[in-house]
Amino acid sequence: MTVTREVELEGHIIDSGTMGAAFSIVMDMGGSFTVEAFDIGRRKEEPSYARLLVEADDPETLQSIVHELHQHGANPADPTDATLEPAPADRVVPHGFYSTTNHPTFVRHDDEWLPVENMEMDCAIVVEPADDDRLADGSDTGPRAYTKVLNAVEAGDRIVTGDSGIRVEPPERPRDAGGTFGFMQGGVSAERPSESTIRKIATAMRETNEAGGSVLAVCGPALIHSGAREDLARLVREGHVDMLSAGNGFAVHDIERDLYGTSLGVDTETLDHARHGHKHHIYAISEVIREGGIEAAVESGTIESGVMYECVVNDRPYVLAGSIRDDGPLPDTITDAVEAQNAIREQAHEADMVLMLSTLLHSVAVGNCLPSTTPVVCVDINPATVTQLLDRGSAQAVGMVTDVGTFVPLLAETLAEDA
């Protein structure tokens, strides 16, 4: 005896490949389907609609198919309220809890669709009921739904379980890829005309800033080694970059360049190895520790230039997340992994556009916290790095396989020309 379930797909489901993906999922997982309704949008701005009857040999197989379809934006045709179960203990989720994607998500509660706040992948969804306390305007404060990472779950949190009462809306690829971020749908290429792409990225950054949004730069030490330090500092100083996320190594070599003219002991202009240059980064760490931190070293005049200098004097917030291999580390580096993750998460939720510049480790950390709707630019000399980062799920992303030491100066120059 077979079991069935109706699901719906709506939006630009043909252009984005969503409908074809849904067909493949059903067949690959041992099910079958019947297209009960199919309305095709006949203009660029018109969405399409399809209703499928999914069939499987047993309830377990059907549930698995519907769950996978749900991750790709297919939603039950007969939605019910989401199932809520209390967390049995701190940092423990109920069996069968719903694990989030990074796509915009809604939860049905008391026959109302609640948008899930702070979307990111691999989280639980907590639903809070309406607060009886009235606000000044006479309204109450709820209900609301939001994500929580595992280490933040508290005993008694009402956690969404199963797949019922959940709607996922993956960002689509419309027929008309216009708008500020329309060009960010071309995947990865080492042959795309760099200057035209950089100009479009500069336009997107400028329009993000003009709209009151924030641009986050995620940076690796290679940016300093490649000689792009002064140009990134300029982007920070002129307000094109609003926040910085990096590791201990990035800040150390940025400061080393200011104090000793080297990065990892190498003069970034002449490429000469300085005598005893291998000690410079340790000396740089020691001097900052002596001052009590980066901000104190800037205020005392010990640090007089560079990316970290510009962040301090222009009040641009930064997060330096530590790792097991760090020298020092600097006093500003967050060495507690959970604390660093929370700081990164706060930045990611605030960012309206992200530049990932030659760092796989920190870009993956930030990418894990981003909703799929946040525009992302990823630049790395290694094509595998760019592909891996973009495959994490941003619908508005562009990857450039190029030297970050070439990209950042060209970006700074383009933004200056158009000012």
Side-chain angles (χ1 to χ4, degrees):
M1 179 178 176
T2 59
V3 288
T4 61
R5 185 81 178 272
E6 282 187 331
V7 298
E8 297 175 319
L9 293 160
E10 190 170 7
H12 296 287
I13 58 178
I14 301 173
D15 308 271
S16 62
T18 303
M19 190 167 184
F23 292 168
S24 296
I25 287 168
V26 175
M27 293 184 289
D28 291 345
M29 297 184 70
S32 60
F33 64 87
T34 301
V35 180
E36 296 186 322
F38 187 24
D39 297 323
I40 303 174
R42 301 185 182 280
R43 294 185 177 86
K44 288 183 178 182
E45 68 278 4
E46 289 183 353
S48 298
Y49 170 84
R51 186 174 69 250
L52 310 181
L53 181 68
V54 181
E55 185 175 351
D57 292 335
D58 55 77
E60 292 75 18
T61 302
L62 180 63
Q63 178 62 24
S64 296
I65 293 172
V66 171
H67 175 79
E68 192 63 27
L69 287 172
H70 190 263
Q71 308 299 302
H72 288 76
N75 297 296
D78 53 344
T80 58
D81 277 0
T83 302
L84 305 178
E85 293 187 22
D90 290 352
R91 299 187 297 169
V92 178
V93 290
H95 290 294
F97 86 103
Y98 178 79
S99 181
T100 59
T101 68
N102 61 349
H103 300 313
T105 301
F106 299 80
V107 171
R108 192 174 179 87
H109 178 68
D110 289 343
D111 296 327
E112 177 186 359
W113 286 107
L114 305 177
V116 179
E117 303 167 18
N118 297 328
M119 278 312 304
E120 61 178 279
M121 63 178 68
D122 303 328
C123 291
I125 298 176
V126 176
V127 175
E128 286 186 359
D131 191 337
D132 292 334
D133 294 332
R134 297 281 168 173
L135 300 177
D137 62 1
S139 63
D140 58 35
T141 59
R144 58 187 289 250
Y146 54 90
T147 59
K148 266 195 176 184
V149 293
L150 183 61
N151 64 50
V153 169
E154 298 175 285
D157 280 345
R158 301 184 346 146
I159 306 293
V160 175
T161 60
D163 296 302
S164 299
I166 304 167
R167 191 173 77 226
V168 178
E169 296 183 353
E172 301 167 338
R173 184 186 300 117
R175 296 178 184 125
D176 181 12
T180 302
F181 300 105
F183 75 100
M184 292 187 174
Q185 298 170 2
V188 180
S189 174
E191 299 179 358
R192 183 183 292 115
S194 295
E195 290 189 13
S196 62
T197 303
I198 288 173
R199 185 164 296 282
K200 291 174 182 177
I201 293 170
T203 298
M205 291 175 64
R206 187 180 306 103
E207 293 189 9
T208 298
N209 289 142
E210 289 174 352
S214 297
V215 176
L216 169 64
V218 186
C219 307
L223 191 147
I224 307 297
H225 306 332
S226 66
R229 170 181 178 265
E230 282 68 30
D231 293 286
L232 181 61
R234 178 182 179 182
L235 293 178
V236 173
R237 180 172 61 252
E238 296 178 354
H240 301 298
V241 168
D242 304 282
M243 301 180 289
L244 182 78
S245 182
N248 185 70
F250 173 86
V252 167
H253 296 302
D254 173 61
I255 294 168
E256 175 194 345
R257 181 72 175 85
D258 176 68
L259 298 181
Y260 305 104
T262 60
S263 178
L264 267 183
V266 177
D267 188 308
T268 56
E269 294 182 1
T270 66
L271 301 183
D272 291 333
H273 288 263
R275 182 173 175 80
H276 301 305
H278 63 285
K279 300 180 182 181
H280 286 176
H281 72 289
I282 299 297
Y283 287 155
I285 295 169
S286 179
E287 290 305 307
V288 175
I289 293 174
R290 188 197 311 275
E291 295 284 352
I294 295 174
E295 183 174 351
V298 169
E299 291 175 352
S300 71
T302 300
I303 299 175
E304 297 180 325
S305 69
V307 180
M308 303 312 301
Y309 171 87
E310 296 295 346
C311 284
V312 170
V313 299
N314 292 287
D315 197 25
R316 314 281 188 230
Y318 57 87
V319 171
L320 302 180
S323 70
I324 195 67
R325 67 188 188 281
D326 285 338
D327 289 323
L330 292 165
D332 304 75
T333 300
I334 304 172
T335 56
D336 182 290
V338 174
E339 184 184 343
Q341 188 180 93
N342 289 336
I344 287 172
R345 178 169 290 109
E346 186 176 338
Q347 276 193 325
H349 290 170
E350 185 179 343
D352 297 289
M353 182 176 178
V354 179
L355 305 178
M356 297 180 173
L357 305 174
S358 198
T359 171
L360 177 61
L361 178 67
H362 291 278
S363 293
V364 167
V366 173
N368 283 346
C369 302
L370 290 173
S372 61
T373 50
T374 301
V376 172
V377 176
C378 178
V379 180
D380 201 285
I381 197 67
N382 184 350
T385 296
V386 178
T387 300
Q388 180 176 344
L389 291 171
L390 296 194
D391 281 350
R392 302 193 72 79
S394 177
Q396 294 183 146
V398 61
M400 293 186 65
V401 180
T402 189
D403 176 21
V404 73
T406 300
F407 171 82
V408 175
L410 283 174
L411 179 62
E413 181 180 336
T414 302
L415 283 163
E417 289 175 352
D418 296 342

